[in-house]
Amino acid sequence: MANARRSPNLPIQAFSTLPSSPQTLPSEAVLDALKMMLIGASLNEVLTSITRLIEAHSEGMLCSIFLLDEDGLHLRYGVAANLPQAYQAATDGVCIGPNVGSCGAAAYLRQPVFISDMLSHPNWEGFRDVVLQSGLRAAWSTPILSHDGKVLGTFCMYYREVRQPVMDEIQLIDYASRIAAIAIERKRAEEKLRQDEREFRQLIDFLPQHVLVLDKEGFLLQANQVMLDYNGHTLEEMQGAGTDERVKRDLHPDDLERVRDERRRGFSSRVPFEIEKRMLGKDGRYRWFLFRYKPLLNEQGGVTRWFATATDIDDRKRAEERMRNENLALREEIDRSSMYEEIVGSSNTLRVVLQHVAKVAPTDSTVLILGETGTGKELIARAIHKRSKRSAGAFIRVNCVAIPSSLIASELFGHEKGAFTGALQRRLGRFELADGGTIFLDEIGDLPADTQNALLRVLQEREFERVGGTQTIRVNVRVIAATNRDLAAAVASGSFREDLFYRLNVFPIDVPSLRERADDITLLVEYLVARSAKRAGKKIRHIEKATLDLFKAYTWPGNIRELQNVVERAVILCEGDTLSVDESWFKHDTPRSPGTTQSLPTSPFNQEREMIEAALRESRGRIAGPFGAATKLGIPRQTLDSKIAALGIDKYRFKT
């Protein structure tokens, strides 16, 4: 007993100074244990191998390894394959202390504790019954210390007889504890690394941004869950495709060439760079992302990895695009001289129109504005838009008769690059420019038949494809149409689709001609004179009564547009502060060329064809010019072109 209490407590640092002994661990066995660590065997497997290696050195020896709990106070068995179960149950979870067995004391004192007789030693007083039951007598323990001196656990040798360790056995215990320390530290470092990786992965996956890791050539190595969820691919699928194939698959075709060039230049620069590009999502739609690339450099300055983040900027890009489109539309409106700026008048017929405008403007209903040329149908359309919920959006005007029939579809719905000769790049159509706002389709009655079909689909489904494209584009656009034609007659003649007519004719508004609102002529003249005089830098204070009488007596076949032109001419010629006009200005309603005796009224299909063919025959197939068919019929050249195409007239057979 006294000998047991005076058992040597040699510090662990002294072990390396002990003389060499024939009783050492076989190098092959040590290598086997190290190999198990390297190939990723579990900690239990490695520690079991160590205990069996030590047990093989002495017959009857039993070994165990305790691991210190996370609280730093309790010991839990890591390996105790051959210890009696009752003993393990009684000692598992023991709290360390200077007088707690051999392992508890060794862990607390941070030095070996060798007890030669457990039954007589006071450290085992609380465990004497289980010790007696198990038949154990000697217990030699040493702490397992990390490289920085922290206690990881204890290694213990047990014997069934009373005995003290010799130097060979002390050195053997030291070897075993060192190997165990390497194994425990390695496994805990691996577990810590895996835990850190899991936490880091969770953090990366939690980010709203896309996160990527690329090799030095730009091939994908890792991607976070946000990116995988967006494009609907697994990481293996993302890695499986080569960089070029993956970029081509996931990138918008219009961005492909630019992005390839920017990636190539960026990866060769070895400095951070950015790329804006549209990426395909699993829903089949493209969204804009800002990709930021940052290199990881080695000590020699070479790139070993590229880290990239992708931030969704689709809302910003769309807002910028809408702003550009609205600015474009605004520039077009500034460049195009407006007929007038306000609705001027107080006649009963005009009041009825304004009442209808006030009723329909807050809704999203389609409006069809009817009226003669020059009555101000566009002004009514603008009034509806300005008083609608869409007033902050764009107001896009399209004159259907002013655009060649071969280009009207491209103008309305846009086209893809290469859709036809001259389509050198993608172009957005007027419907896309008007998204969120209003589109005004003027002269809708002259729309070609094939474009009528596409327009019907937009009105029904709110979607279309660009010319030459396959991607369906959805828009939220209010449609306001206008015409000076009799659409009911056009439907009857077969030149206008009946179902399209009913789609457009949800809320018709008839704009009165100027002769129907004669009471407004004086107000209109005064307003137009003041505006024209301001532009011309003149001061006109009076209008001759005879001039006003001429204005009121005239029938104004050109309506307000003709009135504006006459007033502007009079202002230019006026040399004083009183405006007057020449009575001769009102003798001819429309300029005629010699031989012309008729104008083109709204006619049934066959009569309209005959009148156009007669005019073409008389003008020898010429459309424009003072002696052209358009002048003879008293209509714009573009209108005649559209009618010739709609009626299927071969204008070339009249050329001589």
Side-chain angles (χ1 to χ4, degrees):
M1 174 99 174
N3 289 338
R5 299 192 61 161
R6 289 193 299 271
S7 299
N9 292 323
L10 298 176
I12 202 75
Q13 292 84 353
F15 293 171
S16 60
T17 64
L18 295 174
S20 59
S21 168
Q23 183 156 336
T24 59
L25 296 177
S27 58
E28 295 82 359
V30 175
L31 287 174
D32 288 342
L34 295 176
K35 285 179 182 178
M36 292 183 69
M37 300 180 205
L38 294 175
I39 64 174
S42 68
L43 181 60
N44 180 268
E45 291 174 325
V46 177
L47 297 182
T48 299
S49 174
I50 295 172
T51 58
R52 288 175 178 172
L53 175 64
I54 302 301
E55 288 173 346
H57 276 259
S58 178
E59 185 177 355
M61 180 202 302
L62 303 177
C63 293
S64 71
I65 296 178
F66 267 125
L67 299 178
L68 189 63
D69 213 345
E70 291 183 358
D71 61 7
L73 298 175
H74 297 84
L75 294 173
R76 304 286 180 181
Y77 277 108
V79 174
N82 297 319
L83 284 183
Q85 290 296 323
Y87 180 82
Q88 291 186 47
T91 55
D92 190 35
V94 67
C95 184
I96 67 173
N99 302 309
V100 180
S102 57
C103 289
Y108 183 85
L109 299 172
R110 301 168 59 84
Q111 62 183 11
V113 174
F114 301 136
I115 297 177
S116 37
D117 187 359
M118 300 164 64
L119 289 177
S120 61
H121 199 284
N123 282 14
W124 293 95
E125 184 175 351
F127 304 96
R128 189 165 285 117
D129 291 341
V130 72
V131 169
L132 184 62
Q133 178 185 349
S134 303
L136 303 176
R137 296 300 297 270
W140 308 337
S141 298
T142 187
I144 301 173
L145 301 176
S146 67
H147 68 281
D148 55 356
K150 293 181 180 179
V151 177
L152 302 175
T154 60
F155 181 86
C156 188
M157 289 182 179
Y158 295 93
Y159 287 92
R160 296 187 182 277
E161 66 272 4
V162 176
R163 60 179 294 180
Q164 291 187 18
V166 297
M167 295 304 283
D168 290 347
E169 292 170 328
I170 292 175
Q171 192 170 25
L172 191 62
I173 294 175
D174 179 47
Y175 287 153
S177 66
R178 289 177 184 270
I179 297 175
I182 294 172
I184 295 170
E185 277 199 287
R186 179 180 177 86
K187 288 301 178 182
R188 289 188 175 178
E190 291 175 355
E191 291 175 1
K192 179 66 166 57
L193 181 60
R194 283 194 293 268
Q195 179 64 23
D196 289 346
E197 288 177 349
R198 286 192 295 268
E199 293 177 357
F200 182 70
R201 181 74 194 196
Q202 290 175 356
L203 176 62
I204 295 301
D205 287 341
F206 182 74
L207 292 175
Q209 293 177 309
H210 296 186
V211 181
L212 305 88
V213 181
L214 312 171
D215 68 10
K216 61 181 181 180
E217 304 297 335
F219 287 91
L220 182 68
L221 299 176
Q222 290 290 337
N224 70 337
Q225 194 61 43
V226 174
M227 182 171 190
L228 300 178
D229 290 343
Y230 173 76
N231 58 36
H233 297 297
T234 64
L235 180 60
E236 290 72 21
E237 290 171 338
M238 294 286 289
Q239 292 172 328
T243 297
D244 193 61
E245 291 79 1
R246 176 167 52 82
V247 170
K248 188 174 182 180
R249 178 192 66 193
D250 299 338
L251 200 62
H252 195 288
D254 288 355
D255 299 339
L256 188 59
E257 186 175 342
R258 172 181 59 83
V259 170
R260 280 175 173 167
D261 182 61
E262 291 181 2
R263 275 175 58 94
R264 184 174 58 254
R265 287 188 283 108
F267 286 137
S268 63
S269 68
R270 298 189 299 177
V271 296
F273 65 97
E274 298 179 355
I275 299 178
E276 290 184 356
K277 50 187 173 182
R278 284 167 286 186
M279 302 298 294
L280 180 65
K282 62 183 178 183
D283 59 357
R285 297 179 180 273
Y286 290 94
R287 293 186 67 83
W288 279 99
F289 288 88
L290 171 61
F291 279 74
R292 290 189 171 97
Y293 297 85
K294 184 176 180 61
L296 177 65
L297 305 179
N298 57 26
E299 294 180 356
Q300 291 74 36
V303 176
T304 60
R305 290 285 189 275
W306 285 93
F307 297 103
T309 60
T311 305
D312 190 324
I313 58 170
D314 195 71
D315 292 341
R316 190 199 80 191
K317 294 292 287 188
R318 291 186 182 277
E320 291 174 353
E321 186 175 0
R322 282 196 299 271
M323 185 175 295
R324 285 195 299 269
N325 295 339
E326 290 172 7
N327 288 341
L328 175 63
L330 180 61
R331 286 196 298 270
E332 290 180 355
E333 291 304 317
I334 292 174
D335 293 340
R336 185 178 58 85
S337 176
S338 176
M339 184 173 67
Y340 42 78
E341 297 149 355
E342 297 178 1
I343 300 175
V344 178
S346 59
S347 62
N348 289 333
T349 54
L350 183 61
R351 287 179 180 177
V352 171
V353 170
L354 296 181
Q355 288 172 0
H356 288 168
V357 168
K359 291 286 187 181
V360 76
T363 73
D364 269 343
S365 297
T366 302
V367 179
L368 179 61
I369 304 174
L370 306 168
E372 297 178 8
T373 298
T375 53
K377 296 186 288 297
E378 181 182 345
L379 194 62
I380 298 299
R382 289 183 179 277
I384 294 172
H385 171 70
K386 289 179 180 179
R387 288 161 178 77
S388 73
K389 295 176 290 186
R390 300 171 176 267
S391 58
F395 179 87
I396 303 298
R397 175 184 181 272
V398 181
N399 190 327
C400 299
V401 77
I403 304 169
S405 57
S406 60
L407 297 178
I408 185 66
S410 171
E411 188 71 23
L412 289 176
F413 310 117
H415 62 252
E416 298 290 349
K417 180 180 179 181
F420 50 84
T421 303
L424 302 180
Q425 61 183 4
R426 167 185 287 177
R427 182 184 180 189
L428 301 184
R430 295 303 182 98
F431 269 94
E432 283 184 85
L433 297 178
D435 192 17
T438 303
I439 189 168
F440 175 52
L441 303 176
D442 200 5
E443 306 292 354
I444 191 70
D446 296 280
L447 201 64
D450 55 346
T451 311
Q452 292 180 30
N453 300 335
L455 178 59
L456 181 62
R457 179 187 175 191
V458 174
L459 292 172
Q460 290 175 334
E461 309 295 339
R462 301 295 179 181
E463 64 182 27
F464 60 91
E465 285 91 31
R466 298 190 189 99
V467 176
T470 57
Q471 180 184 357
T472 299
I473 299 169
R474 296 192 61 83
V475 290
N476 177 18
V477 176
R478 182 183 194 171
V479 176
I480 300 177
T483 183
N484 61 358
R485 293 187 60 187
D486 185 348
L487 287 187
V491 169
S493 68
S495 61
F496 199 84
R497 288 187 61 126
E498 184 177 17
D499 46 3
L500 177 58
F501 170 68
Y502 290 126
R503 283 283 181 181
L504 293 171
N505 199 37
V506 175
F507 194 94
I509 295 179
D510 287 302
V511 181
S513 63
L514 190 53
R515 59 184 174 275
E516 294 175 293
R517 43 182 294 213
D519 294 344
D520 292 331
I521 289 179
T522 301
L523 289 175
L524 280 167
V525 170
E526 290 175 351
Y527 170 78
L528 293 172
V529 168
R531 193 183 72 169
S532 296
K534 183 178 180 181
R535 290 179 177 176
K538 295 183 178 182
K539 293 183 179 180
I540 298 177
R541 296 182 173 87
H542 308 285
I543 303 174
E544 284 186 350
K545 183 179 183 302
T547 294
L548 282 177
D549 291 340
L550 286 172
F551 279 130
K552 293 177 182 178
Y554 187 54
T555 57
W556 298 108
N559 291 293
I560 299 175
R561 183 178 294 117
E562 184 180 5
L563 175 62
Q564 178 191 17
N565 293 341
V566 171
V567 168
E568 187 174 349
R569 188 194 319 176
V571 169
I572 293 173
L573 296 175
C574 183
E575 295 181 353
D577 61 356
T578 301
L579 185 82
S580 62
V581 296
D582 190 331
E583 186 177 355
S584 64
W585 294 357
F586 300 95
K587 289 183 178 180
H588 303 287
D589 293 348
T590 306
R592 305 288 186 187
S593 62
T596 300
T597 59
Q598 58 184 349
S599 62
L600 182 65
T602 302
S603 307
F605 182 75
N606 292 334
Q607 183 179 357
E608 190 174 42
R609 174 190 288 274
E610 291 173 1
M611 294 177 67
I612 292 174
E613 289 182 344
L616 288 170
R617 191 176 296 108
E618 186 177 346
S619 64
R620 298 182 179 181
R622 184 186 297 274
I623 301 295
F627 300 101
T631 302
K632 293 180 181 295
L633 294 171
I635 61 176
R637 176 188 61 79
Q638 297 91 338
T639 303
L640 181 56
D641 280 331
S642 178
K643 291 180 181 293
I644 289 173
L647 296 171
I649 298 173
D650 182 9
K651 61 185 178 182
Y652 297 103
R653 67 187 178 90
F654 297 101
K655 292 186 178 291
T656 58

